[in-house]
Amino acid sequence: MARSAYEKYVPMLEWGRRYDKNTFQNDLVAAVIVTIMLVPQSLAYALLAGLPPEAGIYASIVPIILYSIFGTSRSLAVGPVAVVSLMTAAAIGNIAESGTMGYATAALSLAFLSGAMLLILGLFRLGWIANFLSHPVIAGFITASGVLIAASQLGHVLGISISGHSLPHMIESLFHNLGNLNLITLLIGVAAISFLFWVRKGLKPLLLSKGVPPKLADVLTKAGPVAAVVVTTGIVALFGLDNYGVKIVGTVPQSLPPFTLPNLSPSLLGQLFVPALLISIIGFVESISVAQTLAAKKRQRIDPDQELIGLGAANLGAAFTGGYPVTGGFARSVVNFDAGAETPAAGAFTAVGLAIAALALTPLLYFLPKATLAATIIVAVLSLVDFSILKKSWGYSKQDFSAVAATILLTWGFGVETGVSAGVGLSVLLFLFKTSRPHIAEVGLMEGTEHFRNIKRHPVLTNERLVMIRVDESLYFANARYMEDYIYDRVQPDCGIDHVVLMMSAVNAIDFSALESLEAINSRLTDMGVTLHMAEVKGPVMDRLQTGHFLEEMSGQVFLSQYDALRSLAPEMPLAKSV
Amino acid sequence: MARSAYEKYVPMLEWGRRYDKNTFQNDLVAAVIVTIMLVPQSLAYALLAGLPPEAGIYASIVPIILYSIFGTSRSLAVGPVAVVSLMTAAAIGNIAESGTMGYATAALSLAFLSGAMLLILGLFRLGWIANFLSHPVIAGFITASGVLIAASQLGHVLGISISGHSLPHMIESLFHNLGNLNLITLLIGVAAISFLFWVRKGLKPLLLSKGVPPKLADVLTKAGPVAAVVVTTGIVALFGLDNYGVKIVGTVPQSLPPFTLPNLSPSLLGQLFVPALLISIIGFVESISVAQTLAAKKRQRIDPDQELIGLGAANLGAAFTGGYPVTGGFARSVVNFDAGAETPAAGAFTAVGLAIAALALTPLLYFLPKATLAATIIVAVLSLVDFSILKKSWGYSKQDFSAVAATILLTWGFGVETGVSAGVGLSVLLFLFKTSRPHIAEVGLMEGTEHFRNIKRHPVLTNERLVMIRVDESLYFANARYMEDYIYDRVQPDCGIDHVVLMMSAVNAIDFSALESLEAINSRLTDMGVTLHMAEVKGPVMDRLQTGHFLEEMSGQVFLSQYDALRSLAPEMPLAKSV
């Protein structure tokens, strides 16, 4: 059954057709739970991004709806997330002062650029670009960002202001301003943090032991931040603590998301280009891994390119409705999934819930202390921090380890953009370096089989007049010379070698530079009276070689298998055992 | 016989010990011929670099001596060359005005930086970095540079000034100044060019047909530029053509190379860092390929890392003796080789010859027209221009072709630095792109052998309950997800597959991201009741896998060969023939 183009680009048409009452109920329950969780979280992440609190709520409404139309995940909840909020603050912090009009407009521009990039990547089916972020680099980056985020929020808990986008700057700023510490704020912040940690670890077991049904216990646990918000807001209002230096959220406009126009001046877009690209890719990677993890549990499939379109639409939506860059969040999506969301409609219902909150609840948030929001962020992001990737990658490969370590250290030392760029750059360079000095093995026949292995690792049969060399890498410009040198070292003039067979089973491509090297090897060996052969050349490589003259010029033949080569070239040669 | 550390770093100690009268004579003859060729060439390349003519001669004296001590090639002639002179002009042109003191000092700084980089690369044995310049990119770059150089010299032939470091700028400047054309200059220039081309193509056959001995005919041909210099200088002096607007070389100081100090201010070195790196690498690549070509003819070996040290010393020498960046030149090295040079001492003798020229001949160069020097450059570089690389790479691989085409177009459009950087960058990106979407083949047994090939290309035996997949690429972060998707597409739930065997003969490495993908594949297949196996895992890959837990967790086994896997897993399964 061929899907129409409409259905391909608007997955909603597919699931919408089969929507029934049962699905509706499940989606609705999930939406209520997610809404309860999202209200404080949206406010908090806006704070982290350096934006007014309402920006967080606005960024959760239209984007969610757009994603539910264009996205392919049944469970993903799109909105502001911690890492992207931090990256937003880092990107705009260089351009405008937090709290100014220019800052908020730049956030819209960033969302617009990011949305446009995601959309373009999706339409051109370039989702594979995200594959260049290796798992360890992502893990290291998320962990390092978690620490940075927690550090940046420490100021709100202490009642002082902490500036800077790198750990050294933050620490310096912390010590510089420590004298202005506000004790009441600290008390609220520490109490909120302790309470939230307890809710995370201790509340659910307690409720279950008291006989509360598991589902309800779950909802109550997720409502922890709401409780912290309600209680601390009440206390601040009751005792007028804002007069004692406790920073509060203050007036939040009582409104649906406004229609906004991002600033599209070329100079601003130029400045935001690289940050927007990094935010798009990091956001996409985070989102797609959540979506794929959840889809796998229900044997659903995610289309990465369509996901790009969904996220692109969501970000464009954010740009025109007073938001800032959004993506699929891990925590909220898991909650959505666990709460039983069956279709993206759950997201749309969440949007309605948040719209009601934006209209009705905002006056109640006047006395909400920023320390409470900071506490919710700190508790949320510390769950992202997981240094085990350092140990795991160290155990497996020093190369992966160094990419992780560099990502973490550079993210801390120079901020998120440098950190993630360096991580990607380093992992690519290490890969190139490794392929430029490939493993090359001389092989021999395993007795009683037609199988060839490394003479240094296995007891194999060889003949000294016949050298069989296996290059364990595709041949390309960076390693062509290395292979040449290896062969010239192995095959010296007058050393009694008649034939050299290159076993090509691990050679997946031969580029033009490598072809020239093969020609050079062939002519040098021919001068020495040595014949050059190949065996086990793969189909695509053979196709390529046949377009040139090399095969005609090559002194020897191409054998289908290494065993054929040995049988033809050394029919009566005595084979000796290596090692 | 172990070489001492001294001999390793100072190859002169080795050949110097065996130096005798015969070698001395051969070296001396070669030196005389090379000196005759180098006097006009050095002046011309200094002009190309925007430096006073004596800088070209100075750059040919001390650097040659230093290279003869530290270099490993017996034939390489080091000094100013066309491409590096152009790159020098491009690098310093942004910093100072040609003809000023600052310009000459910046040239010294550039030589110093480049020398230091080469020395460091050599001491740390990092010569392999040059391998990242693919053959087609180098060929494209040299060709594009040849055209740029010829275009830049057109002004001297027309008697106008042409500015700019890219083709569009040069053409614009040409049309802008065409009104100032000097007809006498044009006459001299065109005559010199025609004469030099005739010398190149027609003189030698003519001399040979007149019974001149081949060796002498060769020397006379090489002396063509000297003849052009002598004749045109004489004509200008005789008729006082400098009074009619013919630009002449003018006063050249009569001196041995002076002791100079490069400007080492950090800001200048910072500005010159990238150009110096590009000049070092391009110079090294050009030099090493000449050296290796010539060494191969005499079955000598070149040590790339020691070459870096030799070239580094030569450039440091240039920095302290009024020169500018130097490298091993193709034309002069071939002349040196053909003239019978046996040791680097020939280079030292050339240096003596040039020192004599610097002391004695410079007053004679007063009336030398710049148009003649430009003519020698144009004729010399047009031999570098060879567009056949476009055709050859197009026929072999569109990927290589696009790297060449981009290098040529960007070198023309934006200058040498952008061109070569883009060429390297693009070839790396294309390589990464290709490895990120590897060829994946399902394989089957070739009847009557133990050899497995692609089921789509060969008639092989397969069994539908046993899927054998060969991934033709090392598994790493950029393609791990691609492989996952391939396997999930191929192995759907309830499709009657019992076993999946990954044939790992083409997998040369598995990084941490790919390991995680393998774990994911293993657990997903296990959920479906499908067993995952591997076969033909290479030694280094197996070593790596054994450091983790994956092999214990994997549902199936690791087979030594694909044939073992088939025999064990499908002992009684009927094998059907594909295609």
Side-chain angles (χ1 to χ4, degrees), chain B residues 410-424:
Chain B
L410 292 171
T411 301
W412 284 347
F414 300 95
V416 279
E417 289 168 14
T418 310
V420 74
S421 311
V424 172

Side-chain angles (χ1 to χ4, degrees), chain B residues 17-32:
Chain B
R17 201 174 294 150
R18 276 169 292 175
Y19 207 74
D20 60 16
K21 199 181 151 198
N22 194 27
T23 323
F24 170 74
Q25 278 175 346
N26 288 336
D27 283 350
L28 195 62
V29 171
V32 170

Side-chain angles (χ1 to χ4, degrees), chain A residues 125 128 131-136 289 292 296 299 301 304 389 392-393 395-397 400 427-428 431-437 439 446 448-451 453 457-458 470-474 476-482 484-485 488-489 492-493 505-506 508-513 515-517 524 527-528 536-540 543-545 547-548 560-562, chain B residues 125 128 131-136 289 292 296 299 301 304 389 392-393 395-397 400 427-428 431-437 439 446 448-451 453 457-458 470-474 476-482 484-485 488-489 492-493 505-506 508-513 515-517 524 527-528 536-540 543-545 547-548 560-562:
Chain A
R125 313 198 74 70
W128 51 267
N131 292 341
F132 283 95
L133 272 172
S134 76
H135 299 197
S289 49
Q292 269 163 336
R299 296 237 170 130
R301 286 299 286 271
I389 184 65
K392 280 191 278 181
S393 60
Y396 183 70
S397 127
D400 283 302
S427 41
V428 165
F431 171 72
L432 289 175
F433 174 69
K434 210 158 76 177
T435 60
S436 79
R437 333 191 91 185
H439 178 248
M446 302 281 290
T449 73
E450 298 181 7
H451 190 60
R453 293 306 280 245
R457 286 177 177 264
H458 300 268
R470 190 188 76 200
V471 181
D472 285 352
E473 196 61 66
S474 293
Y476 78 115
F477 53 91
N479 62 25
R481 173 73 72 183
Y482 184 88
E484 264 192 76
D485 286 343
Y488 298 157
D489 272 338
Q492 302 278 350
S505 52
N508 306 309
I510 295 179
D511 80 349
F512 192 78
S513 304
L515 180 73
E516 292 190 338
S517 284
R524 170 107 60 130
D527 286 349
M528 295 185 206
E536 312 208 356
V537 181
K538 285 166 205 242
D543 291 349
R544 183 55 54 83
L545 286 178
T547 65
L560 190 66
S561 72
Q562 188 67 26
Chain B
R125 312 198 74 71
W128 51 268
N131 292 341
F132 283 93
L133 272 173
S134 76
H135 299 196
S289 48
Q292 269 164 337
R299 297 235 171 131
R301 286 300 285 272
I389 185 66
K392 280 192 278 180
S393 60
Y396 183 70
S397 130
D400 283 303
S427 40
V428 165
F431 171 73
L432 288 174
F433 175 69
K434 210 158 74 179
T435 60
S436 79
R437 333 192 92 184
H439 178 250
M446 300 283 290
T449 72
E450 298 181 7
H451 190 61
R453 295 303 281 243
R457 286 179 176 262
H458 300 268
R470 190 188 75 201
V471 181
D472 285 352
E473 196 61 66
S474 293
Y476 77 114
F477 55 90
N479 61 25
R481 173 72 73 186
Y482 184 88
E484 264 191 74
D485 286 344
Y488 297 157
D489 273 338
Q492 302 277 350
S505 52
N508 306 309
I510 294 178
D511 80 349
F512 192 78
S513 303
L515 180 73
E516 291 190 339
S517 283
R524 170 108 61 132
D527 285 351
M528 296 185 202
E536 312 207 356
V537 180
K538 284 166 204 241
D543 291 347
R544 183 56 54 84
L545 285 178
T547 65
L560 190 67
S561 72
Q562 188 68 26

